Amino acid sequence: MAKVRGAFFLSDRTGITSETLGNMLLTQFAGVQFDRVTIPFINSLSKARDTVARIDAYRERHGEPPLIFSTAVDDEIRAILATADGVFMDFFESFIARLEDTLGVRASHSVGLAHGANPSTYHRRIEAVNFALAHDDGARMDHYAEADLILLAPSRCGKTPTCLYLALQHGLRAANLPLTEEILEAERLPEALTRFRSKLFGLTIDAERLAQIRSERLPNSRYASREQCARELRLAQGIYRRLGAPSLDTTHVSVEEIAAHIIHQMGLKSILR
């Protein structure tokens, strides 16, 4: 049985950064199962003390000291959190002091700058999300000239979540087109897409995995059979080759990694950075 260890992700904001950095480290320890707890918005001394009490209670219940990953910025809050009965890892302290020494400049120690509401960034993000929703599953192909990229794939290969992630995290206008049986049989895309070859990117997946995903939606159907899935994927890969479109197998890849591969291979740039 895998060993279980507590892991707390603490933040004065959403907790996304502490989760991302902490989980990046924890993935290196495959033999350990982690009981993950995220505590966001620790933005007062009283909340910091409550968090310490919660962690100390966890330690008392489970015996071993939990791992604590913190991205809190305020010095007083960080000092309180560091008293928790666990193994405290302060991402802010680990890097800011060294950067201050290197740059010869005192950091502002201001909360929330990493996720600040820059109006232009906010509007671009919302615009990109709206674009992804409006151009999902082959809708409004007459507007593809405005797209930064167009994802192609058979049904249930991850097109929609990838488009939304690219929009939300990178501000990219991502449309997607499902490779329907009609398109696959014809072995060519709709005429409206022929002038956008440079924007096309294909997704594929293992046939067995695709059959499992489709079975959750339509069990015991031709649509979900392994044979049908394998056939669609084979025809899709043939279309990608003929178009010269880059593609990616998403079987064992997270949506974050899919997005990173697409941005790299397509030579795109995140608008939000």
Short mmCIF file of all heavy atoms in Angstrom, two decimals, residues 24-49:
data_model
loop_
_atom_site.label_atom_id
_atom_site.label_comp_id
_atom_site.label_asym_id
_atom_site.label_seq_id
_atom_site.Cartn_x
_atom_site.Cartn_y
_atom_site.Cartn_z
N MET A 24 4.46 20.16 -8.95
CA MET A 24 5.58 19.90 -9.85
C MET A 24 6.68 19.13 -9.12
O MET A 24 7.30 18.22 -9.66
CB MET A 24 6.12 21.22 -10.39
CG MET A 24 7.28 21.07 -11.36
SD MET A 24 7.78 22.68 -12.03
CE MET A 24 8.38 23.50 -10.54
N LEU A 25 6.90 19.47 -7.85
CA LEU A 25 7.89 18.76 -7.05
C LEU A 25 7.39 17.39 -6.61
O LEU A 25 8.13 16.40 -6.65
CB LEU A 25 8.26 19.60 -5.82
CG LEU A 25 8.89 20.96 -6.10
CD1 LEU A 25 9.07 21.75 -4.81
CD2 LEU A 25 10.24 20.80 -6.80
N LEU A 26 6.13 17.32 -6.22
CA LEU A 26 5.59 16.05 -5.70
C LEU A 26 5.50 14.96 -6.76
O LEU A 26 5.56 13.77 -6.42
CB LEU A 26 4.20 16.29 -5.09
CG LEU A 26 4.15 17.21 -3.87
CD1 LEU A 26 2.72 17.28 -3.33
CD2 LEU A 26 5.11 16.76 -2.80
N THR A 27 5.37 15.34 -8.02
CA THR A 27 5.29 14.32 -9.07
C THR A 27 6.57 13.51 -9.19
O THR A 27 6.58 12.45 -9.81
CB THR A 27 5.00 14.97 -10.45
OG1 THR A 27 6.00 15.96 -10.73
CG2 THR A 27 3.62 15.60 -10.48
N GLN A 28 7.66 14.00 -8.58
CA GLN A 28 8.92 13.27 -8.64
C GLN A 28 8.97 12.10 -7.65
O GLN A 28 9.94 11.33 -7.64
CB GLN A 28 10.09 14.23 -8.34
CG GLN A 28 10.19 15.39 -9.32
CD GLN A 28 10.41 14.92 -10.74
OE1 GLN A 28 11.29 14.09 -11.01
NE2 GLN A 28 9.59 15.41 -11.67
N PHE A 29 7.93 11.96 -6.82
CA PHE A 29 7.93 10.93 -5.78
C PHE A 29 6.76 9.98 -6.00
O PHE A 29 5.73 10.04 -5.31
CB PHE A 29 7.88 11.59 -4.40
CG PHE A 29 9.04 12.51 -4.16
CD1 PHE A 29 8.93 13.87 -4.46
CD2 PHE A 29 10.24 12.03 -3.67
CE1 PHE A 29 10.00 14.72 -4.26
CE2 PHE A 29 11.32 12.88 -3.47
CZ PHE A 29 11.20 14.23 -3.77
N ALA A 30 6.95 9.08 -6.98
CA ALA A 30 5.86 8.20 -7.42
C ALA A 30 5.45 7.20 -6.33
O ALA A 30 4.33 6.72 -6.33
CB ALA A 30 6.29 7.45 -8.68
N GLY A 31 6.33 6.89 -5.41
CA GLY A 31 6.02 5.89 -4.39
C GLY A 31 5.23 6.43 -3.22
O GLY A 31 4.91 5.68 -2.28
N VAL A 32 4.90 7.71 -3.24
CA VAL A 32 4.19 8.32 -2.12
C VAL A 32 2.84 8.84 -2.59
O VAL A 32 2.74 9.48 -3.63
CB VAL A 32 5.00 9.49 -1.51
CG1 VAL A 32 4.27 10.07 -0.31
CG2 VAL A 32 6.41 9.05 -1.14
N GLN A 33 1.80 8.55 -1.82
CA GLN A 33 0.47 9.09 -2.11
C GLN A 33 0.26 10.32 -1.24
O GLN A 33 0.49 10.28 -0.03
CB GLN A 33 -0.60 8.04 -1.81
CG GLN A 33 -2.02 8.52 -2.10
CD GLN A 33 -3.05 7.45 -1.79
OE1 GLN A 33 -2.75 6.26 -1.73
NE2 GLN A 33 -4.28 7.88 -1.57
N PHE A 34 -0.17 11.41 -1.84
CA PHE A 34 -0.30 12.66 -1.10
C PHE A 34 -1.77 13.01 -0.86
O PHE A 34 -2.60 12.93 -1.76
CB PHE A 34 0.39 13.80 -1.86
CG PHE A 34 1.88 13.61 -1.98
CD1 PHE A 34 2.44 13.15 -3.15
CD2 PHE A 34 2.70 13.88 -0.90
CE1 PHE A 34 3.81 12.95 -3.26
CE2 PHE A 34 4.07 13.69 -0.99
CZ PHE A 34 4.62 13.22 -2.17
N ASP A 35 -2.04 13.40 0.37
CA ASP A 35 -3.36 13.92 0.74
C ASP A 35 -3.26 15.44 0.61
O ASP A 35 -2.74 16.12 1.49
CB ASP A 35 -3.69 13.51 2.17
CG ASP A 35 -5.03 14.04 2.63
OD1 ASP A 35 -5.86 14.42 1.77
OD2 ASP A 35 -5.25 14.10 3.86
N ARG A 36 -3.73 15.98 -0.51
CA ARG A 36 -3.53 17.39 -0.85
C ARG A 36 -4.65 18.28 -0.30
O ARG A 36 -5.82 17.97 -0.47
CB ARG A 36 -3.42 17.56 -2.36
CG ARG A 36 -2.18 16.92 -2.97
CD ARG A 36 -2.28 16.92 -4.50
NE ARG A 36 -1.04 16.59 -5.17
CZ ARG A 36 -0.62 15.35 -5.40
NH1 ARG A 36 -1.37 14.33 -5.03
NH2 ARG A 36 0.53 15.13 -6.02
N VAL A 37 -4.25 19.38 0.32
CA VAL A 37 -5.20 20.35 0.85
C VAL A 37 -4.75 21.75 0.42
O VAL A 37 -3.62 22.15 0.71
CB VAL A 37 -5.29 20.29 2.39
CG1 VAL A 37 -6.29 21.33 2.91
CG2 VAL A 37 -5.65 18.90 2.86
N THR A 38 -5.62 22.48 -0.25
CA THR A 38 -5.31 23.85 -0.66
C THR A 38 -6.08 24.84 0.21
O THR A 38 -7.29 24.71 0.38
CB THR A 38 -5.68 24.08 -2.14
OG1 THR A 38 -4.93 23.17 -2.95
CG2 THR A 38 -5.34 25.51 -2.56
N ILE A 39 -5.36 25.82 0.76
CA ILE A 39 -6.00 26.86 1.58
C ILE A 39 -5.66 28.21 0.95
O ILE A 39 -4.55 28.73 1.12
CB ILE A 39 -5.53 26.81 3.04
CG1 ILE A 39 -5.71 25.40 3.62
CG2 ILE A 39 -6.30 27.84 3.88
CD1 ILE A 39 -5.23 25.26 5.05
N PRO A 40 -6.59 28.78 0.18
CA PRO A 40 -6.34 30.07 -0.47
C PRO A 40 -6.77 31.25 0.40
O PRO A 40 -7.37 31.08 1.47
CB PRO A 40 -7.22 29.98 -1.72
CG PRO A 40 -8.41 29.20 -1.25
CD PRO A 40 -7.88 28.21 -0.22
N PHE A 41 -6.46 32.45 -0.07
CA PHE A 41 -6.92 33.72 0.52
C PHE A 41 -6.57 33.85 2.01
O PHE A 41 -7.38 34.30 2.81
CB PHE A 41 -8.43 33.89 0.30
CG PHE A 41 -8.81 33.83 -1.15
CD1 PHE A 41 -9.60 32.79 -1.64
CD2 PHE A 41 -8.36 34.79 -2.05
CE1 PHE A 41 -9.93 32.72 -2.99
CE2 PHE A 41 -8.69 34.73 -3.40
CZ PHE A 41 -9.47 33.70 -3.87
N ILE A 42 -5.33 33.47 2.35
CA ILE A 42 -4.84 33.70 3.73
C ILE A 42 -4.28 35.12 3.75
O ILE A 42 -3.08 35.34 3.64
CB ILE A 42 -3.76 32.67 4.11
CG1 ILE A 42 -4.25 31.24 3.84
CG2 ILE A 42 -3.37 32.81 5.59
CD1 ILE A 42 -3.17 30.18 3.96
N ASN A 43 -5.17 36.09 3.87
CA ASN A 43 -4.79 37.49 3.70
C ASN A 43 -4.93 38.32 4.97
O ASN A 43 -5.02 39.54 4.93
CB ASN A 43 -5.60 38.12 2.57
CG ASN A 43 -7.08 37.84 2.69
OD1 ASN A 43 -7.56 37.49 3.77
ND2 ASN A 43 -7.80 37.98 1.59
N SER A 44 -4.98 37.66 6.13
CA SER A 44 -5.00 38.37 7.41
C SER A 44 -4.27 37.53 8.45
O SER A 44 -4.10 36.31 8.28
CB SER A 44 -6.44 38.64 7.86
OG SER A 44 -7.07 37.44 8.23
N LEU A 45 -3.87 38.17 9.54
CA LEU A 45 -3.16 37.45 10.59
C LEU A 45 -4.06 36.40 11.24
O LEU A 45 -3.60 35.31 11.59
CB LEU A 45 -2.64 38.44 11.65
CG LEU A 45 -1.68 39.52 11.14
CD1 LEU A 45 -1.18 40.36 12.30
CD2 LEU A 45 -0.50 38.90 10.39
N SER A 46 -5.34 36.71 11.39
CA SER A 46 -6.26 35.74 12.01
C SER A 46 -6.44 34.51 11.13
O SER A 46 -6.48 33.38 11.63
CB SER A 46 -7.62 36.40 12.28
OG SER A 46 -8.23 36.82 11.07
N LYS A 47 -6.50 34.72 9.81
CA LYS A 47 -6.61 33.58 8.89
C LYS A 47 -5.33 32.75 8.92
O LYS A 47 -5.37 31.52 8.81
CB LYS A 47 -6.90 34.05 7.48
CG LYS A 47 -8.31 34.59 7.28
CD LYS A 47 -8.54 35.02 5.84
CE LYS A 47 -9.93 35.57 5.64
NZ LYS A 47 -10.16 36.03 4.25
N ALA A 48 -4.19 33.41 9.07
CA ALA A 48 -2.92 32.69 9.15
C ALA A 48 -2.89 31.82 10.39
O ALA A 48 -2.46 30.66 10.36
CB ALA A 48 -1.76 33.68 9.15
N ARG A 49 -3.37 32.36 11.53
CA ARG A 49 -3.39 31.58 12.78
C ARG A 49 -4.36 30.40 12.66
O ARG A 49 -4.07 29.31 13.14
CB ARG A 49 -3.78 32.49 13.95
CG ARG A 49 -2.75 33.59 14.25
CD ARG A 49 -3.09 34.33 15.53
NE ARG A 49 -2.24 35.51 15.66
CZ ARG A 49 -2.60 36.75 15.33
NH1 ARG A 49 -3.83 36.96 14.85
NH2 ARG A 49 -1.78 37.76 15.49
#
